[in-house]
Amino acid sequence: MDEPEEAALVRRCQAGDAEAFRILVEAYRNTLFGVAFLMTHDRPAAEDAVQGGLVQVWRCLPSLRGPSKVKPWLIRIVVNEVKQQFRMKHVPVAPLEAAADIPDETDLPEQKVISAERRQTIRRALSKLPPEQREAVVLRYYSGLTVPEIGGTTGQPQGTVKSRLHRALAHLGKELGYEGLR
């Protein structure tokens, strides 16, 4: 969805158009679930966080200024919902490697096995990162947010985000056996 199309959709949502909201949710549901899942490591908790976040989105849509910045705004709301669940202790903490696989798009069984092994190795390396570094990596490389968008989402200065990403990538490079990973 391009920026003008997304902005028009948000304006329709702000006017109370439930069908436009459904389209918006469909466009970002996988990203929102993926972020919540990578933070909680628990499918039901991730689903609850996304659902709670979407309720907040519907309530707050009329106050959204800049409809072209909807993706970081949606992610921030879901991240805040996950953090709220952690504060309320409703989210069971499980090791990252115990998380179920996120569906893979490949068709060949050999590719699925290799992809599953690769994902498992990356999950183990990610699980060794401090939470704030893991969050930065998930938001940057899974959600595709820019450094300024991550800063807006987490409330951190861009320099802090860059520093966390740099440290995280250096750590992941060592864990995965890559020199100079960027």
Side-chain angles (χ1 to χ4, degrees), residues 46-59 77-78 81 85:
E47 290 169 352
D48 288 347
V50 171
Q51 184 175 1
L54 291 174
V55 168
Q56 291 298 323
V57 166
W58 180 252
R59 286 183 192 149
I77 289 173
V78 170
E81 190 69 26
Q85 285 184 359

Side-chain angles (χ1 to χ4, degrees), residues 1-132:
M1 179 179 326
D2 63 10
E3 203 170 301
E5 185 180 32
E6 185 177 86
L9 192 60
V10 169
R11 282 191 292 280
R12 284 178 47 204
C13 291
Q14 289 175 322
D17 185 341
E19 178 61 19
F21 185 69
R22 186 195 63 75
I23 294 168
L24 187 68
V25 168
E26 283 295 315
Y28 291 110
R29 73 181 173 137
N30 288 340
T31 299
L32 297 176
F33 176 77
V35 168
F37 182 75
L38 288 170
M39 290 180 72
T40 63
H41 319 299
D42 181 70
R43 187 171 295 276
E47 290 169 352
D48 288 347
V50 171
Q51 184 175 1
L54 291 174
V55 168
Q56 291 298 323
V57 166
W58 180 252
R59 286 183 192 149
C60 297
L61 260 171
S63 65
L64 176 64
R65 300 188 204 290
S68 63
K69 301 292 184 189
V70 74
K71 182 180 179 183
W73 183 69
L74 292 169
I75 292 172
R76 180 177 57 236
I77 289 173
V78 170
V79 166
N80 288 341
E81 190 69 26
V82 168
K83 289 178 178 180
Q84 179 65 25
Q85 285 184 359
F86 277 121
R87 281 191 294 274
M88 294 172 60
K89 298 185 193 294
H90 287 163
V91 178
V93 178
L96 192 55
E97 54 273 351
D101 285 329
I102 295 173
D104 189 86
E105 301 297 322
T106 59
D107 292 325
L108 299 175
E110 301 84 25
Q111 289 176 330
K112 285 184 180 184
V113 169
I114 291 169
S115 294
E117 289 173 0
R118 199 172 292 148
R119 280 193 309 273
Q120 189 71 11
T121 301
I122 292 170
R123 273 195 201 102
R124 266 190 233 108
L126 278 171
S127 72
K128 294 178 181 178
L129 293 175
E132 63 276 354

Side-chain angles (χ1 to χ4, degrees), residues 125 167-181:
R167 281 190 224 121
L169 292 178
H171 182 80
L172 289 173
K174 286 180 183 176
E175 283 293 318
L176 298 171
Y178 296 116
E179 293 297 321
L181 181 65

